């Protein structure tokens, strides 16, 4: 394109240096495609069953030839690894919902004309879980697949508060609008060896934040191999310092708390968990029972553990020792960060219960070794010990951090641990004050973070929630049936069928040991399963008898005191 003439060479050079970008924009105008969401704002969070409505707007500045327009809701998990040799980024698409755009909405011919504005509405609903095909890799347990087909939450960006995720792991949801053009390419010498390749000539994206609703999982089966957790801890209580007199041993055993349920927008805690701790105090001397230890302070923290891998994860990464093993071909990573719990002002009061220790009684037949005096530590062990149980309420700092729910995906997982520190000290018997000595017991337990379930009505006014499979089965079973009197024709047909069966060798007769058969066959019309002790006819080779214990519902045979179940099979 010719440049505008100028008065001198200097100004011409200056103009040619400043205006070429503008000239290129005018020569090759760029069309625009955007995704607009209805009733959306920056801090909006979508959950299971939430509708995602909006429209796609296309503004063209030149003629655009196309073959199809695609609008999709996509969910991706991304894991990246840095290295001196080569960086690596893995993307796993676990969700792809395509909204069909009917051909009738396309202009004819399929050309977006210059200066035109085209609007296409769309409507998605966030699903509650994925299809089974979303997880088809090798797994060490079937339970893992149940977790992998659940929707993971948005993680790694887009939240107003820190979600404690590393920059190496992200879970993203987005609405993508694409204008596609199809080209046919040959893949072989034959005419049928052709492939259709779709090329994106325009694309617009809008990210959304998703917190899917989750159910509370049963407690984990913690074993000594699960080094991420410490459910039991024992400490020695002393008077003042480490070399002073022993007062006893305190043992604390933690129970896994219930799930911490957060609201669907992630800004508040709906249900606060409570951690139960069982305490056992073994005094070094029976005199120490009069002044048992008490809890002087409680502090805690929540740690978010994020696991990610370059390959598919075949087992729960928070259990066992397989995650940190060196004999794996995939590149793996683990990131954790902690946040302190709000101060626990109300320190629970420990109410002790005195119990006697089980001691073996001397039977008088003991050997020489058993009658020897007890030496060592058992000599000083008190026959009495104390037990107690305390409940400690837990509150999460949702005002500082975003707690995404616990999830396990094919290449990424997020779990939480709750660490509590109990300060224990003995009370002086006379003054009832805390002694200068004391100890701290640290416990680490798994903590599940869940998201509250949506209401009974589906968002958007689409009616009631669909019933579950079990509810549908119950409704079908409890559906009222129409009961009416049997017609005369049907009655005669049933009677003819019964007579035909009785006369064909499949008849039954009652048999009672020690009594006549007529006493046991009254009012049954010769039907199997009624009366006392029916057996098959003598001519029926398939009749068989089976002796069983005394069970209700079986006929009594004579005075033998035994009950006999007789199975009757009719001939074919």
């Amino acid at each position: 394109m010719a440049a505008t003439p100028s008065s001198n060479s200097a100004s011409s050079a200056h103009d040619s240096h400043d205006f070429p970008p503008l000239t290129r924009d005018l020569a090759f105008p760029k069309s625009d495609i955007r995704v607009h969401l209805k009733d959306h704002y920056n801090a909006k969070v979508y959950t299971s069953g939430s509708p995602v409505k909006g429209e796609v707007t296309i503004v063209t500045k030149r003629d655009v030839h196309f073959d199809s327009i695609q609008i999709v809701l996509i969910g991706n998990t991304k894991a990246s690894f840095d290295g001196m040799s080569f960086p690596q980024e893995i993307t796993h698409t676990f969700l792809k919902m395509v909204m069909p755009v009917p051909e009738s909405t396309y202009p004819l011919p399929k050309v977006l004309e210059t200066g035109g504005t085209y609007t296409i509405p769309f409507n998605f609903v966030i699903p509650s879980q994925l299809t089974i095909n979303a997880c088809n890799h090798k797994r060490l347990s079937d339970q893992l697949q149940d977790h992998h087909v659940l929707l993971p939450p948005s993680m790694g960006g887009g939240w107003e508060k820190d979600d404690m995720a590393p920059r190496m792991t992200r879970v993203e949801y987005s609405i993508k609008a694409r204008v596609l053009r199809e080209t046919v390419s040959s893949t072989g010498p034959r005419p049928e060896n052709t492939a259709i390749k779709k090329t994106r000539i325009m694309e617009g994206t809008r990210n959304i934040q998703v917190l899917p609703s989750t159910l509370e999982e049963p407690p984990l089966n913690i074993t000594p191999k699960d080094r991420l957790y410490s459910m039991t801890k024992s400490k020695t209580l002393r008077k003042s310092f480490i070399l002073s007199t022993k007062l006893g041993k305190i043992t604390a055993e933690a129970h896994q708390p219930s799930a911490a349920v957060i609201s669907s927008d992630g800004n508040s805690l709906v249900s606060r968990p409570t951690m139960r701790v069982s305490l056992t105090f073994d005094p070094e001397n029976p005199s120490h029972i009069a002044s048992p230890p008490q809890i002087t302070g409680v502090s805690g923290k929540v740690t978010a553990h994020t696991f990610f891998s370059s390959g598919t994860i075949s087992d729960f990464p928070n259990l066992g020792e397989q995650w940190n093993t060196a004999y794996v071909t995939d590149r793996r990573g683990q990131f954790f960060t902690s946040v302190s719990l709000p101060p626990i002002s109300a320190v629970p009061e420990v109410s002790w219960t005195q119990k006697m220790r089980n001691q073996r009684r001397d039977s008088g037949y003991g050997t020489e070794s058993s009658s020897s005096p007890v030496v060592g530590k058992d000599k000083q062990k008190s026959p009495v010990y104390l037990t107690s149980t305390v409940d400690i309420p837990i509150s999460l700092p949702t005002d500082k951090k975003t707690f995404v729910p616990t999830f396990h995906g094919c290449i990424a997982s997020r779990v939480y641990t709750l660490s509590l520190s109990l300060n224990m000290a003995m009370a002086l018997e006379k003054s009832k004050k805390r002694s200068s000595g004391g100890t701290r017991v640290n416990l680490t337990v798994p903590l599940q973070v869940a998201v509250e379930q949506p209401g009974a009505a589906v968002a958007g006014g689409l009616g009631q929630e669909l019933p579950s499979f079990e509810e549908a089965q119950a409704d079908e079973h409890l559906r009222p049936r129409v009961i009416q009197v049997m017609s005369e024709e049907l009655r005669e047909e049933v009677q003819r069928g019964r007579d035909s069966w009785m006369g064909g060798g499949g008849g039954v007769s009652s048999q009672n040991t020690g009594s006549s058969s007529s006493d046991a066959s009254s009012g049954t019309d010769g039907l199997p399963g009624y009366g006392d002790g029916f057996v098959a006819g003598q001519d029926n080779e398939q009749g068989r008898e089976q002796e069983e214990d005394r069970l209700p519902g079986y006929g009594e045979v004579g005075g033998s005191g035994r009950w006999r179940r007789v199975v009757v099979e009719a001939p074919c």
Side-chain angles (χ1 to χ4, degrees), residues 297-356:
V298 179
S299 60
K301 64 179 181 179
V302 175
T303 303
H305 301 263
T306 305
F307 302 89
F308 51 98
S309 172
S310 62
T312 55
I313 301 175
S314 59
D315 202 359
F316 292 99
N318 58 317
L319 299 178
E321 302 174 346
Q322 297 182 2
W323 185 260
N324 296 322
T325 182
Y327 303 101
V328 292
T329 58
D330 301 330
R331 303 177 68 178
R332 294 181 173 182
Q334 179 180 356
F335 179 85
F336 63 91
T337 182
S338 302
V339 57
S340 300
L341 295 178
I344 302 176
S345 56
V347 178
E349 185 72 19
V350 181
S351 178
W352 294 100
T353 301
Q354 182 174 324
K355 294 185 178 181
M356 296 295 296

Side-chain angles (χ1 to χ4, degrees), residues 485-502:
V485 179
M486 185 183 299
S487 63
E488 191 65 28
E489 293 80 3
L490 183 59
R491 187 191 304 273
E492 293 177 358
E493 184 178 353
V494 172
Q495 186 64 32
R496 286 195 300 269
R498 181 184 300 174
D499 296 341
S500 174
W501 182 80
M502 293 283 291

Side-chain angles (χ1 to χ4, degrees), residues 281 287-294 386 425-430 432:
F281 175 60
S287 61
H288 297 153
I289 295 179
S291 55
Q294 293 290 330
L386 303 178
M426 297 289 290
L428 299 178
E429 184 177 357
K430 295 182 180 180
K432 300 298 181 181

